[in-house]
Amino acid sequence: MTAKKNKAYDLVIVGSGIAGLSFALKVAQAGFRVAIFTKKDKAESNTNYAQGGIAAVTSAGDDLDKHVKDTLEAGDGLCDPQVVHEILRDGPERIKDLIELGVAFSSLQDGTPSLGKEGGHSERRVLHVKDVTGKAIEDALLANIAKQGVELFEHFFAIDLITASKARKLGVKVNGEDDRVLGLYLYDANKEKVVTVSAPAILMATGGAGQTYLYTTNPSIATGDGLAMASRSGLPVMNLEFMQFHPTTFHSLDGDRFLITEAVRGEGAKLLDAKGRSFLKKYHPMADLAPRDVVARAIDREMKRSGSPFVRLDTPSMKVDFPKRFPNVYENCVKRGVDPLERAIPVVPAAHYTCGGIPTKLDCSTNLDGLYACGEVACTGLHGANRLASNSLLEAVVMAHRGAEAVCSFLSKRKDKRIHLPDWVDGDVPASDERVVLSHNLDELKRTMWDYVGIVRSTRRLERAQSRIKNLVREINEYYWNARVDLPLLEVRNLVCVAELIVRSALRRKESRGLHYTLDYPDLADTPEDTLVRPVRR
Ligand code: FAD
Ligand code: SIN
């Protein structure tokens, strides 16, 4: 599909993961014109790789209070209890929606859902489709949006928001004095040019920022674009120091980090140190199923202590039919030379989930009129300092439902005339001229983040990271303003921007809480506070 220049929609969505697609469906069902723009193929998203599943209370032995308690405990004092209660309460209804849309969750022989267990959960409550839950959800949502008439444009990269304040600075007459969102600049990768799209409402559903780190479970799309765009538009971002490291990814020498779902530990696999001893009991009463921050730190400690570049996940001793329950993990381990039925899997932690994001209310609205955010890019207050496993797909689908209702009400009251938005002005120098510099900058950024802003931090390392990233930001920005943009340049620009925000957030937190552990402040501060960092300068 090709996007027409200056074409108007009621709602423009950036991103085609669970958040963007769920939101689009509901707003289109209400009769509004919805377009989704996505930077790669439509299914390419973190959602598509989700393995473990989606957490919700669906069994007789479980209840909302237990799910709330587990979420609050994992979040280490920083979750918003009201938000936690409301999102988790709505979960079971949204699971029904997914089933109606065609997601066939795995079930037991008696027809009841097969429920997985993951770190920090006191009960089995993770609905899953074997170990390919994300793909099953993504496929079902994509099939349904096509039926609802949502227009979906692949290979369109959202560059920046066009706000009223920005348009006024460029000499456009915009009624009123308030700031609000008017549209977007998008890079059409097929035609290699920038187009302008206007809309009274825009949803950021761009996912996380795992690609700021050298080692990550996230696919290449996860470059924090939505965070960078929001910050450049003058919005603060929240709690970005809480980057979640997943404890178990397959250790390969080429740096590829294939996720080994926590549900494997939920089915009984134990982590073993270099001498083959189970070690998690030393660190937490829940041992191998402790919250993720605890397990990732424990692995980091054991690896440093032994000098081994990985620990092992003891799959051969498991009672479960591994290839049947975990076909995706099984196939990928075999492909990488380890048969989990015969050998323990070598595993290491890797950057996995961005707990912070654009602060939103419980209807996905942000501080900028007309701008909404949903999914991993948003920060609702559900995850606090450490997300409970499998709560993110749930958050996205619950929040999309609530946000869609709010957007429909916003759109039905809106009577703005269409404004002709300023055209994009490109630089003269093809970005590809400096490819080698950009790829060097990217390598330096990812290594800096991994080495200095990782699982265990210190003020000195964070300050080093800050000074290096400052240089990278300066170099890339200087270059950006003269360049004819392309995808690698746009992504690196966003990655350095988000890395700067993460480091600034981490330096602000003078305590160790949840995923943020610093040697200089090893204890919890008395009063938990969110970290809001000021927008970056354009
Ligand atoms: P995504 O699904 O990441 O979608 C983002 C979309 O935005 C993509 O389509 C992307 O191409 C597009 N995009 C980004 N930037 C731009 C731009 N500038 N212009 C245009 N388009 C853009 N969570 C769970 O709850 N349970 C699990 O079992 C689970 N397993 C996981 C396993 C893996 C390997 C990973 C990586 C994550 C897992 N997570 C899991 C986390 C969960 O998958 C994500 O948090 C969730 O899918 C995020 O959904 P989203 O819609 O917000 O973003
Ligand atoms: C996993 O399957 O271990 C990932 C679950 C999650 O990130 O929520």
Side-chain angles (χ1 to χ4, degrees):
M1 211 176 248
T2 47
K4 294 203 185 80
K5 190 167 174 280
N6 261 323
K7 182 164 179 179
Y9 297 95
D10 297 315
L11 172 67
V12 161
I13 295 179
V14 187
S16 55
I18 186 171
L21 295 173
S22 308
F23 213 108
L25 251 187
K26 308 236 165 184
V27 176
Q29 274 160 358
F32 293 101
R33 288 165 304 170
V34 180
I36 301 177
F37 292 90
T38 195
K39 68 177 175 179
K40 299 265 168 80
D41 293 344
K42 57 190 173 192
E44 195 51 14
S45 57
N46 276 6
T47 302
N48 207 37
Y49 297 92
Q51 294 184 6
I54 178 161
V57 173
T58 59
S59 73
D62 198 6
D63 63 42
L64 177 60
D65 287 347
K66 288 188 198 167
H67 194 179
V68 167
K69 184 167 176 277
D70 295 346
T71 302
L72 294 174
E73 271 175 26
D76 206 7
L78 213 62
C79 304
D80 180 329
Q82 178 69 22
V83 169
V84 173
H85 182 87
E86 292 201 26
I87 293 182
L88 301 186
R89 182 202 60 201
D90 292 356
E93 278 305 304
R94 302 290 75 81
I95 296 286
K96 284 187 199 152
D97 292 352
L98 288 174
I99 294 170
E100 264 172 40
L101 293 173
V103 181
F105 288 110
S106 298
S107 53
L108 302 173
Q109 275 181 344
D110 64 2
T112 57
S114 159
L115 298 174
K117 197 164 182 200
E118 292 178 38
H121 287 275
S122 58
E123 293 289 339
R124 281 189 174 266
R125 64 167 72 96
V126 182
L127 291 121
H128 58 95
V129 181
K130 294 185 179 159
D131 58 353
V132 285
T133 314
K135 184 173 182 320
I137 293 176
E138 183 77 21
D139 289 351
L141 289 170
L142 282 170
N144 280 280
I145 62 138
K147 289 184 216 152
Q148 273 305 326
V150 173
E151 292 185 55
L152 194 154
F153 302 94
E154 294 175 293
H155 303 282
F156 275 82
F157 184 103
I159 304 175
D160 265 317
L161 294 167
I162 307 171
T163 57
S165 59
K166 181 170 168 177
R168 285 187 197 107
K169 274 189 206 146
L170 294 170
V172 178
K173 195 168 163 349
V174 183
N175 286 343
E177 292 191 355
D178 60 324
D179 202 9
R180 60 182 188 275
V181 92
L182 301 175
L184 262 180
Y185 291 121
L186 291 145
Y187 175 70
D188 175 344
N190 289 325
K191 295 202 174 135
E192 299 184 355
K193 64 175 199 165
V194 177
V195 295
T196 312
V197 173
S198 61
I202 290 182
L203 173 72
M204 281 295 166
T206 48
Q211 287 291 335
T212 38
Y213 285 83
L214 186 59
Y215 300 115
T216 178
T217 63
N218 291 189
S220 66
I221 55 99
T223 50
D225 302 337
L227 295 169
M229 280 187 267
S231 188
R232 286 194 293 267
S233 299
L235 288 172
V237 285
M238 191 163 128
N239 291 352
L240 281 186
E241 66 275 34
F242 301 118
M243 173 60 70
Q244 184 171 73
F245 293 83
H246 196 289
T248 56
T249 70
F250 192 103
H251 174 266
S252 10
L253 292 175
D254 62 2
D256 163 51
R257 290 292 178 259
F258 178 76
L259 182 79
I260 309 295
T261 172
E262 212 159 84
V264 172
R265 274 178 281 136
E267 297 301 340
K270 300 247 176 305
L271 285 157
L272 306 178
D273 68 11
K275 293 198 170 140
R277 295 170 304 202
S278 165
F279 59 90
L280 253 308
K281 265 248 152 59
K282 282 189 291 189
Y283 293 91
H284 197 277
M286 292 175 91
D288 293 83
L289 286 175
R292 244 172 228 180
D293 56 334
V294 175
V295 180
R297 264 197 305 278
I299 295 175
D300 184 72
R301 183 115 188 251
E302 293 294 325
M303 285 179 1
K304 281 180 181 145
R305 196 178 273 167
S306 67
S308 167
F310 50 77
V311 294
R312 288 186 190 275
L313 191 58
D314 184 12
T315 43
S317 65
M318 289 171 72
K319 304 274 182 288
V320 71
D321 180 344
F322 198 97
K324 194 164 168 223
R325 171 66 178 86
F326 301 109
N328 177 33
V329 171
Y330 183 75
E331 189 189 317
N332 273 282
C333 287
V334 170
K335 222 194 269 171
R336 289 165 174 78
V338 174
D339 182 342
L341 297 177
E342 288 169 10
R343 279 172 56 201
I345 308 171
V347 291
V348 279
H352 180 63
Y353 184 85
T354 311
C355 291
I358 306 170
T360 64
K361 300 204 183 74
L362 266 169
D363 60 0
C364 296
S365 62
T366 68
N367 279 347
L368 181 62
D369 199 22
L371 181 70
Y372 295 78
C374 185
E376 194 167 336
V377 70
C379 187
T380 59
L382 174 67
H383 307 311
N386 175 38
R387 175 184 63 108
L388 183 68
S390 287
N391 262 358
S392 43
L393 293 175
L394 182 80
E395 180 190 44
V397 82
V398 166
M399 289 301 294
H401 180 86
R402 301 176 72 113
E405 283 177 355
V407 164
C408 291
S409 142
F410 170 86
L411 288 172
S412 47
K413 290 181 209 135
R414 202 90 202 174
K415 290 193 185 63
D416 274 2
K417 281 212 199 93
R418 227 179 121 204
I419 300 165
H420 182 82
L421 298 176
D423 283 335
W424 176 261
V425 184
D426 231 341
D428 303 327
V429 188
S432 52
D433 281 7
E434 292 290 346
R435 191 69 77 235
V436 65
V437 178
L438 282 184
S439 74
H440 178 89
N441 285 347
L442 183 59
D443 289 348
E444 185 180 340
L445 176 79
K446 283 169 171 263
R447 193 163 283 286
T448 302
M449 291 299 284
W450 184 257
D451 289 341
Y452 296 160
V453 198
I455 296 172
V456 175
R457 301 165 178 179
S458 72
T459 304
R460 206 170 124 170
R461 284 184 220 158
L462 290 175
E463 282 170 354
R464 283 194 173 175
Q466 190 170 47
S467 104
R468 279 166 173 71
I469 291 167
K470 229 179 181 168
N471 282 337
L472 293 173
V473 169
R474 189 180 39 75
E475 277 180 27
I476 289 166
N477 278 347
E478 262 171 31
Y479 178 57
Y480 173 82
W481 290 112
N482 297 317
R484 205 175 313 141
V485 296
D486 68 1
L487 212 87
L489 171 61
L490 292 167
E491 286 191 339
V492 176
R493 175 185 180 232
N494 288 338
L495 283 166
V496 292
C497 170
V498 173
E500 194 273 328
L501 293 167
I502 294 174
V503 175
R504 202 149 29 106
S505 308
L507 278 166
R508 290 271 296 277
R509 188 162 291 283
K510 307 259 184 265
E511 62 166 346
S512 289
R513 181 182 297 279
L515 295 155
H516 176 74
Y517 183 81
T518 165
L519 298 168
D520 293 292
Y521 304 96
D523 301 317
L524 285 174
D526 293 340
T527 11
E529 274 181 35
D530 291 314
T531 313
L532 273 176
V533 289
R534 282 197 322 272
V536 289
R537 289 201 1 245
R538 292 180 62 82

